[in-house]
Amino acid sequence: MVHTDDGLFPAPNTPGAAWYPSERDLARSRLLRFIRAHGLGSLGELHRRSVQDPEWFWSEVLKDLDVRFHRPPERMLDLSRGPQWPRWFPGGVMNLAHNALDKWLETPKQDATAFVWEGDDGEARRYTYRELHREANRLAGGLERLGLRPRDRVGLFLPMIPETVVAMMALAKAGAILTPLFSGFGPEAVASRLADCEARFLITADGFYRRGKEVSMKAIADRAVEQVPSLERMVVVRRTGSPVAWDRHLDVAWDEVLAMGTETYETRRTRADEPFMIIYTSGTTGKPKGAVHVHSGFPLKAAQDLAHAFDLQEDDLLFWVTDMGWMMGPWMVYGALWLGASFLLFEGTPDHPHPGRLWELLERHRVTLLGVSPTAIRALMGKGEEWVRRYDRSSLRAIGSTGEPWNPEPWQWTLQVVGEGRAPIINYSGGTEISGGILGCYTILPLKPCSFGGPLPGMAADVVDEEGRPVRGGVGELVLRAPWPGQTSGFWQAPERYVETYWSRLPGLWVHGDWARLDSEGFWYLEGRSDDTLKVAGKRVGPAEVESALVSHPAVREAAVIGAPDPVKGTAIVAFVILNDASAATPSLAAELAQHAAGLLGKSLKPQEVHFVPEIPKTRNGKLMRRVLRAHYVGEEPGDLSALENPDVLQAIPRALGRGA
């Protein structure tokens, strides 16, 4: 078994771990094969060499993942412009679609499953690599005949349907730049992103199905494009067949575009550092940030993380509960296809038409790797474990999780009930600008509840204090000391904002904005966003720690914590909780919960106020939007709300605070 020796990773025999790898996990591990193939004795050794000699490491990763270049790079890395602006694989020519599709046409893989789709109503379809290649060729050729040019920006405002994947591949083949948009956005959110990147094309649908009901998209798109002067054509997929407004000068049917193309299309030979995607992330203030990603960056990082942390291989079926407008959607598609694996695309929701829909999907499609947020797990826990146990989950090999910190109870429930004690929870955290993870877990190392096993190979992660000095045992800023291929190439038309966001606080360090802790056994923990961090009477605590204390009370289902100005302590802890039984909400229970948290964390960290709410503001991919709670509490503007999944909460928060709607 691999061992570790530098304190950044847990040892294989760590006492008290909740999960240990089996001989089968070790025998199939491609990461372990990679370590041994290079004569290294530990994951720690691999990580150390990967950050000390990145050109060696990424050269070997390219070989291991069989990444194809039309023209090989002159070298691996050029840092002449500094770590903020690295040039990876300079001189190299390659296209992500060639590595996702074209190269498999030379092998028996062409007839293997690329992805499976299931609609909200249960309809299912299977697409082979050959079929996806054929449809992507037709669309790429059709779009070019419609006027698409290399480097044109194209908005993708689509639900999770097969045409979404076809479009992603076709745009890469044509050398265009994709801008994926969350399927639940309103017209203003769609318009602001399309206008920012000056999109010429938008691909959308008439609508889609969610919880058995039809949701309109074309009407939203029509209102959005009125505000986007650069937009010239809108391609419309007929998903529901419902009547929609039609502008013959602007709109064109998807099938008509396909008919313009042919099954043969020569994928454009783009530079390795050519942009292929602008994906927007919501900021606390100001307009969303357009993270720019290149052909040799985002897909490579996604594939490497899936290979090294999740052990995704060609016989696996990956299913991440997400939307294509969030990073994990493109991450799933590009990463799986680069590795020659398969993925499941799901239009519906995990609890419709019954609370066991997610587990039914695992059984029906034999999913081997499930990705789900802690928020989704907490919601499904409330439906009862009998819904999980009625479905066969024997195919499940690992469970991925990202988006927010875990609480111990749902983590244990996921491990024991969903994973039957054998499928590890691969906790994974990074971001849209990262192209994947900074920290992850490994199928070859033990797990402790809510923890990370360590930094991903190639990621020079550290925990530091306000001066940039390493912190061990305490909470500090999560930083990166060196660049990596998936690093965003800046924000679209806003390079200064990119530098200000990540590189301005500590010279030469990427400051990610998360509080992290590395314990004495080599396990890592995230304690929430550093801009959410609470400093109470001189003591610093992450909101997740207080939230876990509150959730450990049997009356509490979920909790979110913010800091509010206090004249004595500097910051007071204010908690918002969802009860298992809403009728139990009383002032005495609020006092009891505050005391319960104080008993676990200490008197100085006792919540000053506890408010009962029916729901907590979250993004569609499950992240808590604590800034929305804080803005309401202190009377400030909440910033960009386009990612908010549950807008009704905006009326519920003032009522909980006794301020009316």
Side-chain angles (χ1 to χ4, degrees), residues 108-426:
K109 173 62 65 177
Q110 64 182 329
D111 295 316
T113 299
F115 72 97
V116 178
W117 172 75
E118 181 162 316
D120 184 73
D121 61 358
E123 178 190 359
R125 297 182 215 157
R126 171 181 173 268
Y127 288 75
T128 65
Y129 276 83
R130 188 210 303 263
E131 290 166 339
L132 177 55
H133 181 264
R134 181 189 66 211
E135 293 302 288
N137 283 349
R138 293 177 66 199
L139 183 64
L143 288 171
E144 284 193 350
R145 292 195 62 183
L146 203 61
L148 183 73
R149 303 185 297 255
R151 294 184 69 94
D152 277 348
R153 275 75 69 196
V154 181
L156 197 71
F157 183 46
L158 285 173
M160 298 291 269
I161 55 176
E163 289 85 353
T164 306
V165 181
V166 173
M168 293 168 71
M169 289 296 114
L171 293 173
K173 278 177 164 283
I177 301 175
L178 159 75
T179 295
L181 302 163
F182 168 43
S183 62
F185 273 156
E188 293 297 326
V190 173
S192 67
R193 289 156 174 80
L194 294 178
D196 183 71
C197 70
E198 299 177 298
R200 286 188 66 222
F201 285 71
L202 175 64
I203 303 176
T204 189
D206 51 6
F208 63 101
Y209 298 100
R210 184 173 174 82
R211 297 188 175 278
K213 297 179 181 179
E214 185 175 330
V215 179
S216 174
M217 293 193 88
K218 177 67 162 56
I220 293 171
D222 287 340
R223 289 169 59 192
V225 300
E226 292 173 357
Q227 307 172 54
V228 187
S230 62
L231 203 113
E232 299 176 16
R233 301 308 297 263
M234 181 155 60
V235 179
V236 184
V237 178
R238 289 290 192 177
R239 166 72 180 112
T240 66
S242 296
V244 293
W246 201 262
D247 181 341
R248 64 186 182 87
H249 300 293
L250 175 71
D251 301 330
V252 59
W254 171 276
D255 288 344
E256 186 178 336
V257 180
L258 285 182
M260 295 180 190
T262 66
E263 294 184 9
T264 58
Y265 179 89
E266 185 174 352
T267 299
R268 288 193 175 272
R269 298 194 170 193
T270 49
R271 295 195 325 267
D273 60 356
E274 186 85 9
F276 83 93
M277 180 169 68
I278 302 168
I279 184 166
Y280 284 85
T281 64
S282 296
T284 302
T285 59
K287 66 180 184 180
K289 303 165 294 191
V292 179
H293 289 294
V294 302
H295 281 263
S296 63
F298 187 104
L300 174 61
K301 173 65 172 161
Q304 182 235 345
D305 285 3
L306 279 165
H308 287 165
F310 297 90
D311 198 30
L312 190 75
Q313 302 190 32
E314 289 191 22
D315 59 351
D316 280 314
L317 178 67
L318 167 64
F319 171 35
W320 210 281
V321 182
T322 186
D323 185 274
M324 213 54 71
W326 307 136
M327 186 209 82
M328 298 306 292
W331 179 91
M332 172 176 70
V333 172
Y334 299 129
L337 296 180
W338 269 42
L339 294 175
S342 309
F343 64 90
L344 170 63
L345 196 71
F346 179 47
E347 179 186 42
T349 52
D351 59 352
H352 177 82
H354 55 77
R357 179 67 181 275
L358 179 62
W359 321 119
E360 183 181 43
L361 285 165
L362 303 189
E363 177 183 273
R364 178 157 52 244
H365 299 292
R366 305 300 294 166
V367 172
T368 60
L369 174 56
L370 168 68
V372 64
S373 71
T375 290
I377 288 293
R378 285 191 290 266
L380 293 168
M381 278 178 66
K383 311 293 184 183
E385 63 183 62
E386 63 274 9
W387 279 105
V388 186
R389 298 192 187 280
R390 70 173 60 182
Y391 296 102
D392 177 14
R393 300 167 321 287
S394 59
S395 63
L396 197 60
R397 185 182 53 72
I399 302 164
S401 164
T402 193
E404 59 176 319
W406 280 95
N407 306 118
E409 185 182 359
W411 190 95
Q412 290 282 7
W413 187 87
T414 303
L415 179 70
Q416 299 302 331
V417 177
V418 179
E420 300 174 320
R422 55 177 178 74
I425 297 174
I426 307 299

Side-chain angles (χ1 to χ4, degrees), residues 52 58 84 112 418 574 600:
Q52 291 175 350
W58 289 105
Q84 301 91 337
V418 179
V574 178
L600 295 173

Side-chain angles (χ1 to χ4, degrees), residues 9 49 162 226 347 365 385 436 454 463 615 633:
F9 301 89
R49 188 170 178 190
E226 292 173 357
E347 179 186 42
H365 299 292
E385 63 183 62
V463 181
E615 54 183 336
Y633 186 86

